[in-house]
Amino acid sequence: MSAASYVQSVLATLKQRDPNQPEFFEAASTLLNTITPVFEKHPGYVKANILGRLVEPERVIQFAVPWQDDRGNIQISRGFRVQFNSAIGPYKGGLRLHPSVNLSIVKFLGFEQIFKNSLTTLPIGGAKGGADFNPKGKSDAEVMRFCQSFMTELSKYIGPDLDVPAGDIGVGAREIGYLYGQYKRLKGAQRGVLTGKGLSYGGSLARTEATGYGLIYYTDELLKANGEKLAGKRAVISGAGNVAIHAAEKAEALGVKVLTVSDSNGYVVDENGVDVAAVKQIKEVERGRIKTYAERVAGAKYHKGSVWDADLKFDLALPCATQNEIDGEQAARLKAAGVIAVAEGANMPSDPDAIAAYADAGILYGPAKAANAGGVAVSALEMGQNSRRESDSFKKVDSQLHEIMQHIFKASADAADEYGVTGNYEAGANIAGFLKVADAMYAQGM
């Protein structure tokens, strides 16, 4: 069987088995179609059916999460944990709390996490989890009761050397604290069981900033490799959560003018450069909507809708909100806006048509599994600190993060060169991430 036929047969089987999981199939097909050259060089992977095994999670856990709201009513949410692949280390991946969470989305995120984690060079496998609970608009007491119920069930399947969850959309410091508190009541104090913890109970300095900072470090490498520089560029950032805020913070520190931030209702444009402190106050302290920014900051304007429909001139597109936020039509307009590079801070924010449009327009593309790997990289560093019973300085962790992001870009670029797709950093990241996992699976047998 040829390499191309093998890949297509795996995808056909996958679609037949999971016809109602579009997000997962999109992620799997995007990756598999870019790594076909690997099987031409390594026919042993075909014989061992590495791909067929890789696209099936090692374990899928779905459970009910009953919790009581402030009116005394019992609500039921649906919880998930997909432990996808442990070939190179314990399962590692975040927990997402959002109404859109379902099995397809959790599987897509867990599948992407395998290769993202592999690229960091750290010994961690891929997993993801969450629930269709929406923390927005909930009181602290409601969030606490939900987290305690969620962890009561999840605790049966995780541990410092088995599966180490972290935060994702809807899971910040508050939620991690409640989750860890419940785990500790049930299992005893094991700091290494969650990452993204508060500094007072085993967290790592620079973990909060890591995904956003890592995105900018990666973007810097992407630009330098193509004869450009970061300083002086104008950037559009979507989102106003942890990733977007810290991407804006680091970008501005390195001489970039950040024009926008957004939320699910709309976006603000600030031609003077986004005031990150104001965004932090609104989103992290007040838990408010981003339109408040335009009411407080002179010259800023609020618009409803997607920031990717804004009529702006800019150089860098940094999507940091959610999956499939940029479609083909929006991507096709980026070249006319002056965009030279797209680097993804969110997971799979560009749909397949958008990725094709970047290629057609000659726009540099940094895929999520490489560009937003900083968060999980520092999570793995936090695991190491917990094991050593030590805390590293912010400077040390940030330096390690910078080195990891530089390595990720270089590994992606080198793999693209080796497999005949020079300049295709998506294919390069997929190949580099896949090879390490495939080698480990092959060595370990069925």
Side-chain angles (χ1 to χ4, degrees):
M1 181 183 291
S2 71
S5 296
Y6 172 59
V7 169
Q8 293 311 309
S9 71
V10 171
L11 283 173
T13 301
L14 192 64
K15 193 162 192 177
Q16 183 180 17
R17 284 179 169 177
D18 300 313
N20 299 314
Q21 296 181 5
E23 294 88 358
F24 173 51
F25 186 78
E26 179 185 330
S29 59
T30 298
L31 183 128
L32 267 59
N33 284 319
T34 60
I35 63 174
T36 301
V38 172
F39 300 101
E40 294 166 358
K41 275 196 175 186
H42 301 277
Y45 291 162
V46 178
K47 187 175 181 181
N49 197 13
I50 293 293
L51 271 189
R53 293 154 55 192
L54 188 62
V55 297
E56 289 297 326
E58 293 173 0
R59 189 175 294 109
V60 174
I61 303 146
Q62 181 176 321
F63 51 94
V65 186
W67 57 278
Q68 188 175 50
D69 66 26
D70 287 341
R71 297 181 300 278
N73 299 317
I74 303 300
Q75 307 290 343
I76 304 292
S77 296
R78 181 175 283 177
F80 301 90
R81 188 65 177 173
V82 174
Q83 296 172 332
F84 225 114
N85 189 281
S86 59
I88 62 174
Y91 304 110
K92 185 84 190 78
L95 298 170
R96 175 176 293 193
L97 298 183
H98 191 272
S100 67
V101 168
N102 58 35
L103 184 57
S104 177
I105 285 177
V106 175
K107 283 179 69 176
F108 122 62
L109 292 168
F111 185 71
E112 290 276 298
Q113 200 75 42
I114 301 168
F115 311 102
K116 182 188 303 185
N117 292 0
S118 172
L119 282 169
T120 68
T121 75
L122 300 166
I124 43 177
K128 208 75 177 186
D132 57 2
F133 171 84
N134 188 359
K136 288 183 180 178
K138 303 291 193 303
S139 70
D140 287 350
E142 288 174 321
V143 172
M144 181 179 69
R145 289 192 290 269
F146 168 83
C147 288
Q148 289 173 342
S149 180
F150 182 86
M151 180 53 78
T152 296
E153 184 65 22
L154 184 67
S155 65
K156 301 171 186 176
Y157 309 103
I158 65 174
D161 297 310
L162 171 63
D163 183 355
V164 182
D168 192 79
I169 293 172
V171 178
R174 173 182 61 172
E175 290 77 16
I176 291 290
Y178 294 151
L179 290 166
Y180 181 72
Q182 183 68 356
Y183 184 91
K184 184 164 63 73
R185 291 181 195 96
L186 296 167
K187 302 282 189 176
Q190 299 180 60
R191 289 186 169 184
V193 74
L194 284 169
T195 57
K197 300 183 295 296
L199 296 177
S200 61
Y201 60 100
S204 174
L205 290 164
R207 174 59 189 90
T208 303
E209 296 84 356
T211 308
Y213 280 22
L215 171 64
I216 303 306
Y217 293 148
Y218 177 93
T219 304
D220 189 28
E221 296 302 311
L222 175 66
L223 293 177
K224 285 192 295 189
N226 289 276
E228 295 281 351
K229 61 180 182 178
L230 197 60
K233 296 293 188 290
R234 289 162 57 90
V236 162
I237 291 179
S238 65
N242 178 62
V243 179
I245 286 171
H246 291 104
E249 183 175 80
K250 178 55 71 173
E252 291 183 350
L254 296 178
V256 177
K257 181 177 281 189
V258 176
L259 303 176
T260 66
V261 284
S262 69
D263 61 19
S264 56
N265 293 338
Y267 60 95
V268 292
V269 177
D270 190 342
E271 285 284 354
N272 295 317
V274 166
D275 182 338
V276 175
V279 179
K280 286 183 178 181
Q281 175 64 29
I282 293 164
K283 300 302 290 186
E284 297 182 344
V285 178
E286 301 170 20
R287 302 185 188 277
R289 306 306 294 169
I290 201 61
K291 67 180 180 181
T292 306
Y293 182 97
E295 298 165 3
R296 295 183 186 176
V297 178
K301 295 181 179 179
Y302 174 75
H303 306 269
K304 291 183 178 180
S306 169
V307 70
W308 305 114
D309 293 324
D311 183 16
L312 293 168
K313 291 292 184 182
F314 57 106
D315 309 291
L316 306 176
L318 304 176
C320 296
T322 191
Q323 69 266 10
N324 290 335
E325 61 176 279
I326 305 179
D327 63 25
E329 270 186 44
Q330 292 166 322
R333 295 196 294 268
L334 293 179
K335 188 72 173 180
V339 171
I340 61 171
V342 177
E344 297 179 333
N347 289 303
M348 206 170 73
S350 307
D351 74 12
D353 290 340
I355 295 169
Y358 304 150
D360 290 344
I363 293 173
L364 300 171
Y365 173 53
K369 68 174 57 65
N372 84 351
V376 74
V378 173
S379 279
L381 297 178
E382 181 179 331
M383 290 166 65
Q385 293 174 59
N386 292 159
S387 295
R388 304 192 317 264
R389 307 291 198 273
E390 294 177 354
S391 296
D392 293 333
S393 69
F394 187 101
K395 183 177 180 180
K396 179 177 179 178
V397 176
D398 189 37
S399 176
Q400 289 175 302
L401 169 63
H402 198 170
E403 289 176 6
I404 288 169
M405 299 312 296
Q406 288 174 320
H407 165 81
I408 287 172
F409 179 79
K410 186 176 186 305
S412 301
D414 289 349
D417 289 344
E418 182 180 349
Y419 284 84
V421 286
T422 297
N424 186 335
Y425 302 112
E426 179 191 22
N430 289 340
I431 291 168
F434 171 76
L435 283 171
K436 182 177 178 182
V437 177
D439 286 347
M441 291 176 69
Y442 192 81
Q444 294 166 26
M446 283 196 302

